Amino acid sequence: MIGGLFIYNHKGEVLISRVYRDDIGRNAVDAFRVNVIHARQQVRSPVTNIARTSFFHVKRSNIWLAAVTKQNVNAAMVFEFLYKMCDVMTAYFGKISEENIKNNFVLIYELLDEILDFGYPQNSETGALKTFITQQGIKSQTKEEQSQITSQVTGQIGWRREGIKYRRNELFLDVLESVNLLMSPQGQVLSAHVSGRVVMKSYLSGMPECKFGMNDKIVIEKQGKGTADETGKSGKQSIAIDDCTFHQCVRLSKFDSERSISFIPPDGEFELMRYRTTKDIILPFRVIPLVREVGRTKLEVKVVIKSNFKPSLLAQKIEVRIPTPLNTSGVQVICMKGKAKYKASENAIVWKIKRMAGMKESQISAEIELLPTNDKKKWARPPISMNFEVPFAPSGLKVQSRVDVRGTHPMPWREEDEKGTGAADTVSSPSGWSESCTEKPGGDIGRCHLGRQDDRRGWPGGHEHT
Amino acid sequence: MTDSKYFTTTKKGEIFELKAELNSDKKEKKKEAVKKVIASMTVGKDVSALFPDVVNCMQTDNLELKKLVYLYLMNYAKSQPDMAIMAVNTFVKDCEDPNPLIRALAVRTMGCIRVDKITEYLCEPLRKCLKDEDPYVRKTAAVCVAKLHDINAQLVEDQGFLDTLKDLISDSNPMVVANAVAALSEIAESHPSSNLLDLNPQSINKLLTALNECTEWGQIFILDCLANYMPKDDREAQSICERVTPRLSHANSAVVLSAVKVLMKFMEMLSKDLDYYGTLLKKLAPPLVTLLSAEPELQYVALRNINLIVQKRPEILKHEMKVFFVKYNDPIYVKLEKLDIMIRLASQANIAQVLAELKEYATEVDVDFVRKAVRAIGRCAIKVEQSAERCVSTLLDLIQTKVNYVVQEAIVVIKDIFRKYPNKYESVIATLCENLDSLDEPEARAAMIWIVGEYAERIDNADELLESFLEGFHDESTQVQLQLLTAIVKLFLKKPTETQELVQQVLSLATQDSDNPDLRDRGYIYWRLLSTDPVAAKEVVLAEKPLISEETDLIEPTLLDELICYIGTLASVYHKPPSAFVEGSRGVLHKGLPPRTGSIEGPESPDTAPSGEPAADQPSVIPTQGDLLGDLLNLDLGPPVTGPPMATSTVPMGAVDLLGGGLDSLIGGSGSFTAAPSSTAPTNVGAPLGSGLGDLFDLTAGVGTLSGSYVAPKTVWLPAMKAKGLEISGTFSRQVGSISMDLVLTNKALQVMSDFAIQFNRNSFGLAPAAPLQVHAPLAPNQSVEISLPLNTVGSVMKMDPLNNLQVAVKNNIDVFYFSTLYPLHILFVEDGKMERQMFLATWKDIPNENETQFQIKDCSLNAGGDGHSSTALGSCASA
């Protein structure tokens, strides 16, 4: 298992060092610094073996987190743990930076003592940790409180504590989708897939039993006629989800047998699920780049974007980033719509359009002047990227959700409950979709990339339960 | 309040000041001081001098302060064992604290203090904590048993903690179960023989129930433990699989990979006809693809594992080619791994797409990536025949770019394409020759030289080209030198008239001016070949080469099976068995896939691999580009050489592989064997057998050798199946009055074998080893060693049935193995054949009458019998 955990700053100075196993010596700290942080070459692997000692590292801004071991550990687990460690630290003191780590080193040691025992990861849910690792000492706790803490930390629902109360029960749901598109030089789509995330912010009292539904093909088929009439409304009733993964609060065996997503959510923000689809993706925009090299010191770029959805719908906050070569000396931009600016610090032309209706097109042209350079290093030609919000999901996903606060009898799907015995809420089609699209200049091959932007719509006013 | 200030105190007299602060009456000041101490400890300063002062702060009800002191203790207790005892009392007291958090903290910390005296005091509190009412304490105590075991295994056994730990597997709290499983698995790993994790259907059921309830980490511990279980039949395997599959939807990639491991392993037991088998295969693909949307480091781990899975079960991901297309912002390590998998998945159906991608990659920025992409194009050509033409034209396009490393890489792969499709694409040679001057890497130069030599008859100025390389012969790397030597010899054999001078030049360069034994030896071989028998030389050097196989870089099947059992772990990331990177006894235990128990396959025949797959299905493994040397050697000397029969029976893995190994050991040249063409004892050539070199030596040496008596071809006496991977084949021979047993020991296991010894049982003629079995170096996996064991006939005698039966025991570091064999009687006969008349008669009389039988031989031709070559049995036969 994990033998030790070190945190370094960008210079390779140790900020935190915690050794869990006897086989890891102090020299391991230096070995990583010398061989990885100070290595001349760019890092070629996240796992490094130095003198029969394996180092796993992740980087957050300019901070290095390294886990060390001499055994055949579960490598996936070590990385998952390192990410979790970052999440926990972020939840406690915000951004992971040298300053924050130094300011909180006692807390970090305390956390490391708790979430990793002899190299075995233990409960690392912030919700639970925050009940007893507070930096305030725990003298004042009563015996009941103590046993409540321990039962929560070790319990089945380790991610949520008992007795949470809110005056207003609220639940926010964001669906964030990124479209990844690969296009041939002829404009033919080679491959496209959507990877989506459902992020939930729950502010609910007690131990709420939640159910989450989506217009997944298999579910719709299982439910049979019950929903047939209703799904007939939109053009695309159900979507085929290739695969999805869930937060640990979701009962997986139930999903496996019944395709129903039921869970007791952690308090606050968490990622409920991720999913992937490849079929019938609606691409909201087409980006057509044209690049012409005029001599060795000039580049002409023209980018056309076409919106590819119903004219009645509106896309908002469109932002197109066109990367420019590193030796750019000046840029002149002309665009018909929106505002465009060359940002030298980011090596890109940023073009912003507030809103754009469906089935429209707009274009930008730019003249890029280049400094003559004898630098042999090739320009990597990063893809053009695009961010926007549209009121539909490219994957076609729709969400239904319901919440039962413990003690109420379950209610059927999509039924508003007004008697106050339980709280049920349904929502279909949340409005906040965002996705992004990128394409390479030069037009030989286009590639769309993920990028994301939040937009949310909550539905406040879940009913209070007595 | 910020704590960062503690990092900045570096002034002199700091320790002294800290000491004063630690002993301060004010709580706050104490705490501040301890924080400073910890900060100094972190940055590597030695603050052990403060030990007593820090320990004094231990007795506090401030939990934060207590934790800090404990942290200090864990770091320095080992260096101050005597003073650490001071802390024991507090620990013992804390283990009784009403607050479960403090009880757990105490037992957790105590386990981390590796001081013998403290360990003794730990036992009682630990026993109590293992039965604590609070699950939080119990789960901490469970891990503490593993800690204690690491310090003093005997103590843990004596105190009966292992049984308590086993009981915790049935605990009501899932997290306690998970930690107990983790602790037991770890302890079991260092005791491979013990049956600690006594997994049976009941306990498996408990684990599967806990799996649904415990934390993500606990699920990993349990799944990893489940993977070690061997279900008793396919039905049990299926029911476990059914309960594990929901884990594939977990957000934690490690849970997913561990579940995949269990499924991949148990799938071996399911019959392929089963509907469930197909369902399972289908269920495995989506989660594996989803892993690729995780963070890059995890993607890397996933891709390394997918690489294994694709080799083991290509059907799972065969339709998922597109997801492995490289993204612009992938880190380089992800890009390289994706490329590898793309080639493994390349097939006729998707080759067009793959090629288009590869061509795109070849214009990227990262040099390593571009190189690999170019190489990948070559591999596609070899793998998918229909695409070869397109691949070659793509490679030619790339050569036109004149980007130096692209050109070199392309030439290396084109050489391979020539070997796969001879006489098809030679028209491109002209283009290749244009780039001769730009080649500066040994591998590319060697490849180009090979091409020139191989197609010398079609290249008009081949001699000029090769001559130009010859100028700087001594500055070239060995690889290029060897290749140049071979190429010029080829050229000479093809155009003998014009190139005599050239060949003499290269031969003298190689044999006289070089310090490199490989080069010299190869030079001498050619020289001797050419001078003794040019026709034979032609047959040897210009022999038709075997086509190279389709798949390259495949992992050897037994290793692959082992690695499948290690999915998700470091072993699967390194593609090496744990013994290759883990020290000590841990992880040395071999894991294997369970045998298939379906009804289709009959009882395992000894020939089939343990996985139950027919051996014929397994693609042969050819060495990677790095093994060019091995490759070349084979090319020149390999197949058509008909060496003495010994060679034929000793090439178990295909010549290429052995050659690679053989050459390595030649280069290693530790003097453990002599490859000298000694004419007196050809069978004593201790060279790694099967190597083409060895064969040749025998061939050349054979001329001058006394023919000796008949030597039967070697037969396998002890199959590897029966001897934990050790295969012994051999024969008996008699040479100039001495009997010897010629053995070939082949290591087919995955670990190194050493400490060989041999013993004979009493036998009819008192045959016994005259010298101990001498195996000089440990026998590495897949290596063989040939030994000639001198025998005498002075051992004790016992009549065997049949008379010439010999029972042999061979010992090595792994075990003792027994086998029996029949030796030919003629090895006991002396060469001179003559015996004094009186002696013969006396001997005859010594034989009791009952041993004498008489019968008539009818129709026997006279010249077969006793025309002067009378043989006499030596030794004990006569006196028996």
Side-chain angles (χ1 to χ4, degrees):
Chain A
M1 285 303 117
I2 298 173
L5 212 140
F6 309 129
I7 302 179
Y8 302 83
N9 65 9
H10 67 286
K11 285 184 261 176
E13 292 164 356
V14 198
L15 303 178
I16 297 285
S17 110
R18 175 75 159 94
V19 173
Y20 293 93
R21 297 255 171 170
D22 199 40
D23 54 4
I24 301 299
R26 182 87 204 171
N27 52 1
V29 183
D30 303 323
F32 182 76
R33 174 181 32 242
V34 173
N35 289 293
V36 181
I37 301 182
H38 291 170
R40 258 187 231 158
Q41 238 200 341
Q42 180 200 354
V43 177
R44 302 306 265 195
S45 159
V47 186
T48 323
N49 193 318
I50 307 163
R52 291 201 155 214
T53 310
S54 300
F55 294 82
F56 300 76
H57 74 264
V58 299
K59 240 185 131 181
R60 288 289 180 269
S61 61
N62 53 9
I63 296 294
W64 298 76
L65 280 93
V68 196
T69 184
K70 284 208 163 184
Q71 297 168 33
N72 182 28
V73 295
N74 188 322
M77 183 184 84
V78 176
F79 281 123
E80 283 284 3
F81 177 79
L82 287 174
Y83 301 143
K84 195 75 186 192
M85 175 78 206
C86 294
D87 291 350
V88 171
M89 289 198 289
T90 315
Y92 266 95
F93 52 74
K95 197 173 166 276
I96 296 176
S97 64
E98 179 170 353
E99 200 191 348
N100 275 345
I101 288 175
K102 280 184 171 173
N103 282 339
N104 294 283
F105 82 98
V106 174
L107 168 72
I108 295 174
Y109 276 124
E110 204 176 329
L111 285 170
L112 280 176
D113 196 43
E114 184 59 44
I115 60 180
L116 208 53
D117 191 4
F118 201 42
Y120 289 106
Q122 305 292 308
N123 191 336
S124 45
E125 287 298 317
T126 9
L129 289 171
K130 279 191 170 169
T131 57
F132 67 106
I133 295 187
T134 54
Q135 287 282 278
Q136 313 297 323
I138 48 166
K139 280 177 293 185
S140 54
Q141 283 159 338
T142 63
K143 207 167 175 202
E144 289 74 54
E145 278 171 337
Q146 285 163 6
S147 72
Q148 204 191 336
I149 289 169
T150 59
S151 77
Q152 198 219 323
V153 175
T154 59
Q156 285 185 33
I157 306 163
W159 52 87
R160 189 181 179 89
R161 64 191 164 88
E162 298 256 4
I164 298 172
K165 279 205 179 72
Y166 285 100
R167 273 184 62 98
R168 270 162 69 92
N169 282 312
E170 286 181 312
L171 193 65
F172 299 93
L173 202 65
D174 295 341
V175 179
L176 309 169
E177 291 196 339
S178 338
V179 184
N180 199 309
L181 174 75
L182 179 64
M183 248 174 12
S184 75
Q186 290 75 35
Q188 184 193 2
V189 175
L190 292 177
S191 83
H193 76 259
V194 167
S195 54
R197 306 189 299 141
V198 179
V199 178
M200 216 173 225
K201 273 189 183 172
S202 79
Y203 305 104
L204 300 168
S205 307
M207 282 290 179
E209 206 34 80
C210 298
K211 266 195 164 187
F212 178 84
M214 53 190 175
N215 56 340
D216 172 18
K217 213 170 211 164
I218 302 174
V219 178
I220 304 279
E221 275 161 16
K222 274 205 174 170
Q223 286 174 340
K225 285 178 196 165
T227 49
D229 49 329
E230 168 217 325
T231 51
K233 280 186 282 187
S234 62
K236 200 172 146 195
Q237 305 93 347
S238 58
I239 63 162
I241 285 187
D242 286 16
D243 188 39
C244 44
T245 58
F246 297 99
H247 184 267
Q248 63 166 323
C249 65
V250 175
R251 294 180 188 93
L252 294 180
S253 37
K254 215 163 175 185
F255 176 74
D256 194 56
S257 55
E258 303 162 25
R259 283 298 263 205
S260 77
I261 304 165
S262 66
F263 56 96
I264 296 171
D267 198 39
E269 185 173 328
F270 69 104
E271 188 180 283
L272 177 68
M273 74 177 276
R274 281 179 187 227
Y275 58 91
R276 218 163 34 78
T277 70
T278 44
K279 294 193 185 68
D280 306 325
I281 294 163
I282 316 151
L283 295 170
F285 285 98
R286 294 293 300 269
V287 179
I288 305 144
L290 277 169
V291 180
R292 205 160 66 93
E293 280 180 59
V294 188
R296 300 194 63 182
T297 55
K298 207 169 160 191
L299 214 59
E300 281 181 9
V301 181
K302 197 169 112 180
V303 178
V304 181
I305 56 170
K306 286 183 184 169
S307 56
N308 196 23
F309 43 88
K310 274 189 238 163
S312 56
L313 297 173
L314 265 186
Q316 294 188 2
K317 296 181 189 166
I318 301 153
E319 188 187 290
V320 182
R321 299 175 71 86
I322 305 159
T324 55
L326 302 172
N327 56 340
T328 303
S329 62
V331 177
Q332 271 136 23
V333 208
I334 311 156
C335 57
M336 303 188 312
K337 225 180 161 201
K339 279 178 195 165
K341 225 188 211 173
Y342 166 62
K343 290 193 175 168
S345 59
E346 295 164 41
N347 275 316
I349 301 166
V350 180
W351 177 25
K352 286 180 179 168
I353 304 169
K354 274 194 182 142
R355 57 180 72 82
M356 188 170 172
M359 305 314 276
K360 288 268 165 56
E361 85 172 59
S362 184
Q363 72 167 8
I364 182 173
S365 34
E367 273 185 25
I368 301 169
E369 274 163 45
L370 303 173
L371 288 171
T373 168
N374 49 8
D375 194 3
K376 271 191 184 161
K377 221 174 146 193
K378 266 203 289 181
W379 178 44
R381 298 204 301 176
I384 297 175
S385 63
M386 184 170 178
N387 278 285
F388 49 84
E389 290 171 16
V390 283
F392 57 91
S395 67
L397 183 93
K398 285 173 186 165
V399 175
Q400 311 158 315
S401 174
R402 61 170 291 160
V403 184
D404 295 320
V405 177
R406 190 179 267 179
T408 64
H409 54 88
M411 306 307 294
W413 266 117
R414 294 181 67 78
E415 191 178 288
E416 283 275 332
D417 174 54
E418 289 167 1
K419 287 173 192 155
T421 53
D425 265 297
T426 60
V427 99
S428 71
S429 183
S431 68
W433 305 109
S434 64
E435 54 254 83
S436 63
C437 215
T438 50
E439 288 198 13
K440 250 187 204 171
D444 45 8
I445 205 155
R447 236 156 235 270
C448 275
H449 265 283
L450 47 124
R452 52 189 63 112
Q453 200 168 348
D454 289 33
D455 185 24
R456 64 183 56 104
R457 147 134 158 231
W459 65 102
H463 309 251
E464 280 268 352
H465 175 59
T466 45
Chain B
M1 184 198 74
T2 66
D3 288 346
S4 59
K5 60 176 185 274
Y6 303 118
F7 281 87
T8 53
T9 51
T10 47
K11 54 185 187 289
K12 271 189 179 176
E14 185 195 354
I15 298 274
F16 187 75
E17 264 176 43
L18 279 175
K19 209 176 179 88
E21 282 176 44
L22 283 169
N23 292 314
S24 151
D25 296 333
K26 287 183 193 141
K27 264 188 190 167
E28 265 315 299
K29 209 158 192 187
K30 257 190 190 176
K31 201 161 117 184
E32 297 287 288
V34 176
K35 280 187 183 179
K36 278 183 204 163
V37 172
I38 301 287
S40 306
M41 193 175 85
T42 298
V43 296
K45 269 185 246 165
D46 184 16
V47 281
S48 57
L50 297 167
F51 199 89
D53 310 279
V54 177
V55 172
N56 272 338
C57 304
M58 196 172 166
Q59 289 197 1
T60 168
D61 49 357
N62 182 321
L63 196 64
E64 192 191 358
L65 181 57
K66 197 184 268 289
K67 282 182 177 173
L68 288 172
V69 176
Y70 279 0
L71 186 64
Y72 178 89
L73 262 177
M74 282 187 267
N75 265 295
Y76 286 112
K78 223 171 142 188
S79 57
Q80 311 259 345
D82 295 329
M83 278 196 271
I85 294 291
M86 292 159 50
V88 166
N89 255 337
T90 324
F91 277 128
V92 176
K93 217 175 83 196
D94 280 356
C95 285
E96 310 264 333
D97 197 278
N99 185 340
L101 291 172
I102 291 185
R103 290 203 296 276
L105 178 66
V107 78
R108 185 164 68 211
T109 312
M110 256 179 117
C112 295
I113 295 178
R114 305 177 66 93
V115 174
D116 282 342
K117 286 179 200 154
I118 292 200
T119 320
E120 288 164 26
Y121 291 100
L122 174 62
C123 292
E124 274 322 298
L126 177 59
R127 198 185 314 282
K128 266 186 217 156
C129 288
L130 279 167
K131 304 219 157 112
D132 201 284
E133 53 169 19
D134 194 293
Y136 183 76
V137 181
R138 288 202 300 277
K139 72 115 184 163
T140 311
V143 176
C144 189
V145 175
K147 290 179 188 170
L148 189 60
H149 186 270
D150 193 39
I151 304 170
N152 189 342
Q154 196 56 46
L155 188 70
V156 170
E157 277 169 46
D158 295 347
Q159 296 278 335
F161 285 137
L162 294 182
D163 293 324
T164 326
L165 201 53
K166 277 190 211 166
D167 293 343
L168 287 185
I169 290 197
S170 316
D171 200 278
S172 58
N173 184 296
M175 198 149 164
V176 178
V177 178
N179 275 3
V181 166
L184 275 174
S185 302
E186 179 169 338
I187 295 171
E189 225 174 83
S190 51
H191 292 284
S193 51
S194 73
N195 197 15
L196 257 184
L197 267 166
D198 177 29
L199 295 176
N200 52 48
Q202 288 78 36
S203 59
I204 289 292
N205 198 29
K206 277 178 204 155
L207 292 184
L208 286 167
T209 312
L211 188 62
N212 288 325
E213 292 164 351
C214 62
T215 64
E216 45 192 331
W217 314 115
Q219 296 183 18
I220 300 169
F221 306 153
I222 292 179
L223 287 168
D224 284 351
C225 171
L226 269 180
N228 292 326
Y229 177 62
M230 200 67 86
K232 59 179 191 306
D233 53 26
D234 50 343
R235 279 176 55 200
E236 192 187 2
Q238 178 174 345
S239 85
I240 295 175
C241 286
E242 278 165 359
R243 293 178 70 178
V244 166
T245 32
R247 298 297 121 199
L248 294 175
S249 305
H250 203 288
N252 187 317
S253 308
V255 175
V256 176
L257 269 177
S258 290
V260 169
K261 166 165 58 191
V262 174
L263 297 175
M264 281 292 287
K265 208 176 160 184
F266 290 3
M267 219 166 159
E268 284 292 316
M269 298 186 67
L270 301 177
S271 152
K272 282 186 175 158
D273 304 338
L274 221 59
D275 285 346
Y276 183 70
Y277 181 85
T279 320
L280 202 54
L281 274 185
K282 272 194 209 118
K283 276 193 177 169
L284 274 171
L288 286 174
V289 173
T290 300
L291 290 176
L292 298 183
S293 30
E295 289 83 347
E297 290 88 1
L298 268 174
Q299 278 187 52
Y300 174 71
V301 174
L303 285 164
R304 293 292 285 173
N305 280 288
I306 289 173
N307 200 327
L308 296 173
I309 293 168
V310 165
Q311 288 184 58
K312 181 74 192 164
R313 298 194 180 279
E315 64 270 34
I316 295 179
L317 287 166
K318 67 179 172 202
H319 298 302
E320 302 287 351
M321 171 60 89
K322 281 180 183 172
V323 300
F324 297 103
F325 286 176
V326 168
K327 286 185 191 158
Y328 165 77
N329 50 355
D330 280 336
I332 182 67
Y333 49 81
V334 169
K335 284 186 178 172
L336 292 173
E337 291 306 317
K338 281 187 172 173
L339 199 51
D340 243 355
I341 294 170
M342 277 172 68
I343 300 173
R344 295 211 192 287
L345 291 177
S347 67
Q348 202 182 334
N350 56 25
I351 193 73
Q353 274 184 327
V354 174
L355 264 182
E357 280 290 302
L358 292 177
K359 203 174 168 184
E360 197 64 33
Y361 301 162
T363 62
E364 288 241 5
V365 182
D366 189 286
V367 177
D368 282 353
F369 182 60
V370 171
R371 282 173 179 275
K372 199 162 184 174
V374 176
R375 229 159 240 224
I377 296 175
R379 279 168 67 180
C380 283
I382 290 165
K383 195 173 174 191
V384 185
E385 190 164 354
Q386 291 79 1
S387 74
E389 193 147 351
R390 242 179 310 170
C391 293
V392 171
S393 76
T394 308
L395 286 169
L396 283 179
D397 288 352
L398 290 171
I399 288 177
Q400 299 304 343
T401 63
K402 301 281 178 195
V403 179
N404 191 279
Y405 53 85
V406 174
V407 174
Q408 310 212 32
E409 215 57 50
I411 287 180
V412 172
V413 293
I414 286 182
K415 183 210 75 187
D416 284 348
I417 295 177
F418 283 167
R419 288 208 48 198
K420 170 77 181 179
Y421 310 108
N423 304 319
K424 228 174 157 182
Y425 300 111
E426 279 72 12
S427 53
V428 308
I429 291 176
T431 322
L432 302 186
C433 289
E434 284 164 22
N435 293 284
L436 212 62
D437 300 332
S438 62
L439 308 179
D440 53 9
E441 288 160 25
E443 203 178 345
R445 287 175 81 87
M448 193 64 222
I449 293 169
W450 181 86
I451 294 172
V452 175
E454 186 66 19
Y455 298 102
E457 69 274 24
R458 306 185 199 199
I459 305 170
D460 296 334
N461 60 343
D463 47 345
E464 282 167 39
L465 294 176
L466 291 176
E467 203 170 355
S468 70
F469 280 105
L470 207 56
E471 279 159 22
F473 189 77
H474 289 297
D475 302 328
E476 299 283 1
S477 72
T478 313
Q479 188 182 8
V480 180
Q481 290 177 332
L482 285 169
Q483 199 51 259
L484 196 51
L485 172 62
T486 306
I488 293 180
V489 171
K490 281 183 191 165
L491 175 69
F492 171 70
L493 289 166
K494 289 175 180 174
K495 301 180 182 172
T497 46
E498 307 130 59
T499 53
Q500 199 146 10
E501 208 172 302
L502 195 61
V503 82
Q504 267 171 359
Q505 201 184 341
V506 78
L507 285 175
S508 79
L509 276 173
T511 53
Q512 283 157 27
D513 301 340
S514 170
D515 298 335
N516 187 319
D518 282 333
L519 190 61
R520 254 190 345 240
D521 286 352
R522 202 193 277 198
Y524 278 124
I525 295 167
Y526 283 142
W527 204 324
R528 211 169 288 194
L529 257 177
L530 292 172
S531 53
T532 30
D533 189 354
V535 180
K538 207 162 186 168
E539 271 171 32
V540 172
V541 179
L542 301 180
E544 199 169 312
K545 281 152 284 293
L547 297 185
I548 56 174
S549 81
E550 294 182 358
E551 288 287 347
T552 49
D553 296 350
L554 281 181
I555 292 174
E556 189 256 323
T558 45
L559 177 60
L560 179 62
D561 283 354
E562 191 184 357
L563 291 179
I564 290 287
C565 303
Y566 287 114
I567 284 178
T569 69
L570 261 181
S572 71
V573 174
Y574 293 147
H575 288 185
K576 283 178 187 160
S579 53
F581 59 92
V582 175
E583 280 168 0
S585 60
R586 270 182 223 281
V588 176
L589 184 69
H590 277 299
K591 291 191 182 179
L593 292 175
R596 198 172 285 281
T597 54
S599 49
I600 10 161
E601 266 126 343
E604 260 189 290
S605 76
D607 292 338
T608 50
S611 62
E613 305 238 333
D617 275 5
Q618 285 157 358
S620 64
V621 179
I622 77 162
T624 55
Q625 302 285 349
D627 281 343
L628 194 69
L629 274 180
D631 211 23
L632 289 172
L633 244 190
N634 176 46
L635 207 101
D636 296 329
L637 309 172
V641 181
T642 43
M646 59 166 256
T648 54
S649 62
T650 55
V651 186
M653 295 296 295
V656 185
D657 219 0
L658 266 177
L659 266 178
L663 202 77
D664 283 348
S665 35
L666 262 176
I667 293 169
S670 56
S672 60
F673 47 78
T674 48
S678 129
S679 58
T680 47
T683 42
N684 263 333
V685 175
L689 42 126
S691 98
L693 277 175
D695 290 358
L696 265 177
F697 282 129
D698 269 357
L699 199 73
T700 48
V703 186
T705 318
L706 288 168
S707 51
S709 61
Y710 168 73
V711 181
K714 288 199 174 75
T715 48
V716 175
W717 287 339
L718 181 67
M721 290 282 295
K722 287 191 180 159
K724 304 189 180 168
L726 175 68
E727 187 185 272
I728 300 181
S729 57
T731 185
F732 293 92
S733 67
R734 181 178 184 90
Q735 220 110 58
V736 220
S738 59
I739 311 167
S740 56
M741 183 171 178
D742 300 330
L743 290 167
V744 175
L745 308 180
T746 308
N747 182 355
K748 293 195 170 176
L750 288 167
Q751 67 193 96
V752 173
M753 295 179 176
S754 59
D755 308 330
F756 288 96
I758 195 164
Q759 240 177 19
F760 292 176
N761 196 2
R762 289 192 290 167
N763 55 70
S764 316
F765 298 98
L767 269 181
L773 188 65
Q774 301 251 329
V775 181
H776 293 284
L779 194 54
N782 270 333
Q783 268 202 346
S784 314
V785 64
E786 192 185 356
I787 299 153
S788 182
L789 181 72
L791 305 181
N792 58 28
T793 49
V794 298
S796 34
V797 174
M798 181 177 74
K799 193 181 173 216
M800 300 297 292
D801 186 39
L803 208 58
N804 58 346
N805 190 9
L806 180 67
Q807 294 177 335
V808 183
V810 170
K811 196 179 104 175
N812 65 7
N813 59 330
I814 297 165
D815 208 343
V816 183
F817 313 106
Y818 302 92
F819 63 89
S820 67
T821 177
L822 301 177
Y823 48 89
L825 277 177
H826 75 263
I827 59 159
L828 301 170
F829 299 157
V830 292
E831 284 85 351
D832 54 6
K834 281 259 190 280
M835 199 176 187
E836 289 298 313
R837 192 186 160 83
Q838 284 84 0
M839 199 180 157
F840 178 79
L841 287 173
T843 318
W844 186 264
K845 271 185 194 159
D846 281 353
I847 302 171
N849 278 340
E850 59 265 33
N851 283 7
E852 191 177 321
T853 50
Q854 291 190 348
F855 57 95
Q856 276 194 322
I857 303 166
K858 283 177 184 166
D859 298 335
C860 95
S861 69
L862 269 172
N863 55 358
D867 65 16
H869 193 290
S870 62
S871 294
T872 315
L874 233 187
S876 42
C877 173
S879 54

